[in-house]
Amino acid sequence: MDRAKRKLQHIEYALTIGQHRLHGFEDVTFVHNSLPNISTARIDLQTKIGELSLRSPIFINAMTGGGGAETTKINEQLAYVANEYGLAMAVGSQMVALKDEREQQSFTIIRQVNKHGIVFANLGSEATVDEAKRAIDMIEANALQIHLNVVQELVMPEGDRNFCGALSRIEQIVSAVDVPVIVKEVGFGMSKETARKLEDIGVCAVDVGGFGGTNFAQIENKRRENQLDYFNEWGITTTASIAEVASEVQRISIIGSGGVQHALDVAKCIALGASAVGMAGYMLRLLIEKGVDALMADINQLHEDLTVIMTALGTRTIFDLQKAPLVITGKTHHWLRERGIE
Ligand code: FNR
């Protein structure tokens, strides 16, 4: 099957399988603050990923591109929304457009619509330095995301089977490109050991892409006959992953993602250690099922709710929210204890 058709199937199956909210947010509770000493008017949602300044901690994570008119329209609408609300936005993997120039339009549209916003290019860890540079130039990207998706590839019938050399290819890209590099998972979470290796080679940020939201093992299993069911529950939950990565890295930013649907999920990601929070499947579903206006209303509500939550906690900035006290119970607590994190 060609790459473009696969992109359309990913969208279709992501929507039909949906998100099961197994990400561990229910294990995380804020400690209520009866004296927050703040007004909503003072809340500031600006944040940073490395040196990149963002107006909002919420961004639209990598989804699509390639696949013709349908994905071009989706990216055009997402870029419109990103522009309206000052959200950063990532495109889906650009490899399809590096292999076939006719597929570029579905990516370049986002820069046409959102001329001055923050956009992230996206490639897999098989990419070469030259491909990374071309992907960045294609959309005048402010940063490059490199996705790690080993389990997805293994379940994908036509996927990669050789994962040698990924870290050293990423290291070469980091030193050769002139934008920050973000390395992301796609819904299987990231361990502290992986994050440490990535910090050591100079990436700017890691996006944990935790388990519990969009499930690419299930999506790819739907595309094959002999199912690799054992991968359907494989991965580190979003909460456990952010907490364990936060316990390990010192110099790089953490991005929380994987099943984020509400402002309270966003706030919990940040309080666990994230500087920004990516949302993919949830935004795609809203856009496709309810349209652009509904997506815009929802993003407005997300910002309002986050402001209200930060007021209740007495945290004026995202940096303050990162230090808000919380209690971790249940599976997430158990996981962190087993992993030696208190
Ligand atoms: C994705 N995701 C993704 N990630 C990536 O780095 N490159 C890509 O091309 C894609 N493609 C893609 C297509 C579709 C339809 C979806 C829903 C998602 C993964 C995405 O960025 C994110 O890491 C996961 O979806 C987990 O986040 P959510 O969906 O649970 O918020």
Side-chain angles (χ1 to χ4, degrees):
M1 169 176 295
D2 70 41
R3 282 172 192 263
K5 264 205 196 121
R6 191 166 78 218
K7 302 286 161 189
L8 296 176
Q9 277 197 339
H10 283 164
I11 295 170
E12 184 193 335
Y13 294 151
L15 295 182
T16 46
I17 292 168
Q19 300 200 342
H20 303 293
R21 291 188 67 79
L22 299 167
H23 36 37
F25 288 121
E26 68 287 356
D27 293 339
V28 177
T29 310
F30 281 111
V31 178
H32 173 58
N33 178 359
S34 305
L35 289 169
N37 195 33
I38 201 164
S39 85
T40 47
R42 294 194 61 227
I43 302 296
D44 180 356
L45 297 182
Q46 290 179 75
T47 190
K48 279 187 153 190
I49 298 176
E51 292 303 309
L52 273 184
S53 294
L54 310 185
R55 271 170 55 194
S56 163
I58 298 167
F59 72 96
I60 303 173
N61 219 343
M63 280 181 279
T64 198
E70 207 167 319
T71 56
T72 304
K73 182 160 177 238
I74 291 172
N75 273 350
E76 181 177 9
Q77 291 178 320
L78 290 174
Y80 175 76
V81 173
N83 186 45
E84 286 290 303
Y85 286 93
L87 306 187
M89 173 182 168
V91 293
S93 177
Q94 291 163 267
M95 196 53 93
V96 62
L98 295 179
K99 304 266 185 232
D100 180 352
E101 273 193 14
R102 287 168 305 176
E103 300 286 357
Q104 285 196 12
Q105 167 70 2
S106 61
F107 297 98
T108 52
I109 187 82
I110 61 122
R111 197 34 113 189
Q112 287 154 21
V113 173
N114 186 4
K115 288 200 170 52
H116 307 293
I118 302 277
V119 299
F120 303 152
N122 185 290
L123 285 174
S125 61
E126 74 282 12
T128 62
V129 166
D130 176 59
E131 286 167 339
K133 286 183 173 168
R134 286 166 54 210
I136 294 163
D137 288 348
M138 190 190 301
I139 57 169
E140 296 162 59
N142 304 87
L144 169 68
Q145 286 184 331
I146 298 181
H147 62 262
L148 304 177
N149 65 337
V150 171
V151 173
Q152 180 188 1
E153 293 289 342
L154 287 171
V155 184
M156 195 188 296
E158 68 278 40
D160 289 341
R161 297 292 179 264
N162 177 354
F163 305 99
C164 299
L167 190 66
S168 90
R169 278 190 299 278
I170 296 171
E171 186 172 18
Q172 286 167 30
I173 290 172
V174 168
S175 48
V177 301
D178 50 17
V179 296
V181 173
I182 300 166
V183 177
K184 74 184 284 283
E185 254 291 348
V186 301
F188 300 95
M190 194 180 285
S191 72
K192 60 185 171 134
E193 291 82 0
T194 299
R196 159 50 53 94
K197 288 180 188 156
L198 294 167
E199 178 173 50
D200 287 347
I201 61 161
V203 309
C204 145
V206 292
D207 177 341
V208 302
F211 177 83
T214 301
N215 185 327
F216 268 98
Q218 279 184 342
I219 291 173
E220 298 298 350
N221 264 326
K222 256 186 112 87
R223 300 181 55 244
R224 61 184 291 146
E225 276 177 10
N226 60 329
Q227 309 235 322
L228 310 188
D229 288 341
Y230 45 85
F231 278 134
N232 287 346
E233 270 94 54
W234 186 284
I236 309 173
T237 62
T238 301
T239 51
S241 190
I242 299 172
E244 73 163 74
V245 171
S247 76
E248 184 74 19
V249 302
Q250 275 146 16
R251 303 181 301 276
I252 60 177
S253 301
I254 300 169
I255 297 171
S257 74
V260 174
Q261 299 186 348
H262 308 303
L264 188 58
D265 300 342
V266 174
K268 287 178 180 178
C269 286
I270 295 169
L272 287 165
S275 311
V277 179
M279 297 173 74
Y282 175 78
M283 292 207 177
L284 184 68
R285 174 181 291 273
L286 254 179
L287 176 66
I288 291 183
E289 292 182 353
K290 304 213 169 126
V292 178
D293 290 344
L295 179 57
M296 295 215 290
D298 201 84
I299 290 168
N300 201 28
Q301 191 65 48
L302 279 169
H303 284 150
E304 269 184 43
D305 289 342
L306 186 58
T307 303
V308 170
I309 291 165
M310 287 171 70
T311 306
L313 293 168
T315 54
R316 194 182 73 76
T317 64
I318 297 299
F319 186 67
D320 296 335
L321 179 56
Q322 285 178 321
K323 291 178 288 185
L326 30 82
V327 173
I328 299 175
T329 57
K331 269 193 178 169
T332 310
H333 173 73
H334 194 104
W335 174 279
L336 295 175
R337 208 181 51 200
E338 289 293 311
R339 297 279 287 148
I341 301 153
E342 291 305 326

